[in-house]
Amino acid sequence: MEKQTLIDMLNRDLADEHAAIIRYLVHGYMEGEDTPLGASLISITREEMWHMHWLGMIIGELGGEPNFKPAPYPYDPTSRATMLRSYVEYEEKLIPNYNGEADKVDDPHIRRVLQREAWESAIHARKFQRKLDKLSQEEAAGLPGGESELPKEFLDILQAEVTSRYTEMLQHIRTSWVFQKDEIMGWKIMDQAMEKMKQLAHFAEPIAEDGVSPKFKHRQMDKSQVIGVALKKALENVQADRERHVKM
């Protein structure tokens, strides 16, 4: 397989995993991290983040530009039951996709990663099915999220912070993947991405707990090919955040 063809294929997979992360994370937040279903969904989200990371590292190693536009995630929002059924179907569709891609790849490491993605997608499908089977009739018919109580103006402020943190998190992830040859620097930047993820949760959770779905849409991302330029941009973002928070 030609290198660019391989990069394009992996970027499509990256978009699929990105979509799964957002869907399960939003649902988990709306259920509440202190509930069994919410905690389980967020746990699966973390596993999906590893899937995305494996793919992104390979794309970066191949010299490609990671695609951070999530793919569509088709799901039926009618009830908890219909959502979980949609999740089962989504994960089940990924299994033959990854296995088929693995058969086309010559590189043994990339092949193993794709096979692992297929294997864990099968595990996730079974997990979602078990969660669906355990729902009571009332839980199955219901929907996550509480009643909206926060003022719209405050929700808008929280959502703006979600957008900011989400963009910065993805930016750090992109930098760590693209500049992974810088070794320790790449991992330090990934640590910063994890910090942004924690901050993201601080703003997204109260939105979800108020019965509103947080919107994970990032702003335009910097695609610098020089690490010094990328770090300078990251510093500018931090300074802008600080100034905005001081004004608040």
Side-chain angles (χ1 to χ4, degrees):
M1 183 181 293
E2 294 291 331
K3 184 166 77 169
Q4 189 56 52
T5 302
L6 176 58
I7 290 171
D8 292 343
M9 182 185 78
L10 295 173
N11 260 323
R12 288 192 294 272
D13 295 335
L14 191 73
D16 288 339
E17 296 296 335
H18 193 172
I21 289 168
I22 294 173
R23 174 83 295 270
Y24 307 153
L25 189 61
V26 169
H27 189 168
Y29 283 158
M30 296 192 78
E31 292 287 355
E33 285 192 82
D34 56 347
T35 66
L37 180 55
S40 180
L41 283 163
I42 291 171
S43 176
I44 291 175
T45 299
R46 294 191 182 103
E47 294 171 4
E48 298 288 2
M49 289 175 183
W50 276 110
H51 297 175
M52 187 175 174
H53 178 63
W54 297 337
L55 295 167
M57 287 290 285
I58 295 171
I59 292 168
E61 188 175 7
L62 291 171
E65 180 62 44
N67 168 32
F68 283 102
K69 181 180 180 180
Y73 191 112
Y75 72 100
D76 184 345
T78 306
S79 66
R80 281 191 183 89
T82 59
M83 284 193 281
L84 287 172
R85 287 194 195 99
S86 298
Y87 302 168
V88 172
E89 292 172 3
Y90 187 86
E91 295 291 338
E92 286 180 339
K93 287 180 181 178
L94 291 179
I95 301 167
N97 175 68
Y98 281 128
N99 281 328
E101 290 177 350
D103 291 340
K104 299 175 185 177
V105 173
D106 298 323
D107 185 284
H109 169 66
I110 299 175
R111 189 186 311 121
R112 284 194 300 272
V113 168
L114 293 169
Q115 290 169 341
R116 178 66 180 265
E117 299 271 9
W119 180 65
E120 294 204 7
S121 293
I123 292 174
H124 287 174
R126 291 196 295 271
K127 284 183 177 180
F128 285 130
Q129 186 61 55
R130 286 198 296 269
K131 295 178 198 322
L132 176 60
D133 294 340
K134 289 180 180 179
L135 291 178
S136 67
Q137 188 173 357
E138 182 179 359
E139 289 170 334
L143 285 167
E147 295 183 6
S148 182
E149 297 178 354
L150 296 175
K152 182 181 182 303
E153 294 78 8
F154 186 56
L155 283 172
D156 288 344
I157 291 172
L158 292 176
Q159 182 57 58
E161 292 300 325
V162 167
T163 300
S164 177
R165 294 301 181 280
Y166 179 52
T167 303
E168 291 172 11
M169 180 190 74
L170 294 182
Q171 190 70 66
H172 289 329
I173 291 173
R174 184 259 177 195
T175 301
S176 71
W177 288 346
V178 172
F179 299 108
Q180 60 184 276
K181 291 181 181 178
D182 289 271
E183 297 180 352
I184 190 67
M185 180 62 72
W187 284 109
K188 285 182 177 180
I189 295 170
M190 181 57 76
D191 286 343
Q192 288 299 309
M194 297 302 104
E195 287 299 317
K196 293 297 179 182
M197 191 179 301
K198 293 176 187 176
Q199 296 170 12
L200 174 64
H202 294 328
F203 294 107
E205 286 174 12
I207 296 175
E209 289 169 1
D210 202 53
V212 179
S213 178
K215 297 181 179 67
F216 288 90
K217 294 184 178 180
H218 63 79
R219 299 191 298 263
Q220 183 174 354
M221 293 179 60
D222 175 63
K223 296 184 179 180
S224 300
Q225 296 300 314
V226 178
I227 192 167
V229 176
L231 293 175
K232 183 175 182 292
K233 178 65 176 176
L235 177 60
E236 291 171 355
N237 288 337
V238 171
Q239 291 170 335
D241 282 346
R242 183 181 182 280
E243 291 175 5
R244 187 173 66 255
H245 293 157
V246 168
K247 290 179 181 178
M248 287 182 185

